[in-house]
Every structure is written in C-alpha cells, then in structure tokens.
Amino acid sequence: MLQLTPQSRILLATEPVDFRKGIDGLAAVCRRVLTEQPLSGTVFVFRNRAGTTLKLLCYDGQGFWLCTKRLSQGRFTWWPQRQDASYHLCARELLVLLWNGPPHQAGMAEDWRKLA
C-alpha cells in the first residue's frame, strides 16, 4: 500500500510524459529531467499528453510502486503551467488532484507549522 502522509515529498512533472514508459523509463525521467533521485522515497506524479491519465512512481525501500489513474471520461482540469520541470504538492493537494479537483481552490487551511 502506498501511504501519503503530511511528511510525504511529492513532485509533479510539469511536462507530459510518454506513458509507454514503465518504472525504469519514469525513473530515468526523474534523474534526467527532474534532476531528482528516484530512490529517495519521493512520490513522483506524471501526466500523459492527453491529460486523461496520471502515473505515480515511488520507491519504498524495498521496491518501486507504479500506480495509474485513468479517468473514464474527461480530462484532468488542473495542471501547473510553469517553466520549472517540477512542482511541489503536499499530500492533501495530491488527493484533491486525484479526484480531478484544482488543489489551489480546495479551500484548505494553511499548515500551522511546516513538518520536517
């Protein structure tokens, strides 16, 4: 089971990725494009070009998790439009995104104190 906690580090790849890639291909994107170590325990979130599917890649210390969410209709309505290769999210924002909501409009309270 993949567990998202407030301490989870979550990075979205801002550019669409070729979803023919599996674990090894997405890990290479982490290293080359995002300049991040895929073995760090970070949850990496990728989107396909059509905007209908997300893939999450995470290493749990024993092996990789590769999770896919494909919408049965429509597209994911929110995705960051940035020059940076990656965008940081907190766990609750990722949950909103997975339900196809815009994380910045969810009306959640700010963190009282950042967790390490």
Side-chain angles (χ1 to χ4, degrees):
M1 166 167 293
L2 184 64
Q3 185 175 9
L4 296 174
T5 66
Q7 296 83 9
S8 297
R9 184 166 183 254
I10 302 166
L11 283 177
L12 272 70
T14 55
E15 292 296 317
V17 173
D18 179 358
F19 268 21
R20 293 176 291 182
K21 294 181 189 298
I23 290 172
D24 295 329
L26 293 174
V29 171
C30 294
R31 281 190 292 279
R32 294 183 187 135
V33 178
L34 305 178
T35 62
E36 294 284 339
Q37 179 53 252
L39 298 172
S40 65
T42 299
V43 178
F44 297 96
V45 183
F46 303 95
R47 181 185 67 118
N48 69 341
R49 195 167 307 282
T52 58
T53 308
L54 298 180
K55 282 190 179 182
L56 281 67
L57 178 72
C58 183
Y59 185 77
D60 68 1
Q62 185 180 24
F64 280 100
W65 284 89
L66 182 59
C67 306
T68 303
K69 169 135 187 189
R70 183 178 66 200
L71 297 176
S72 46
Q73 62 182 9
R75 299 172 189 266
F76 285 96
T77 56
W78 180 86
W79 202 258
Q81 303 296 319
R82 307 189 69 145
Q83 298 299 324
D84 300 334
S86 63
Y87 181 82
H88 288 268
L89 280 184
C90 66
R92 63 182 182 223
E93 290 172 325
L94 177 57
L95 294 174
V96 171
L97 176 62
L98 290 172
W99 281 96
N100 199 15
H104 61 285
Q105 292 179 353
M108 292 176 277
E110 294 294 320
D111 289 333
W112 178 67
R113 181 173 63 185
K114 293 287 182 193
L115 298 171

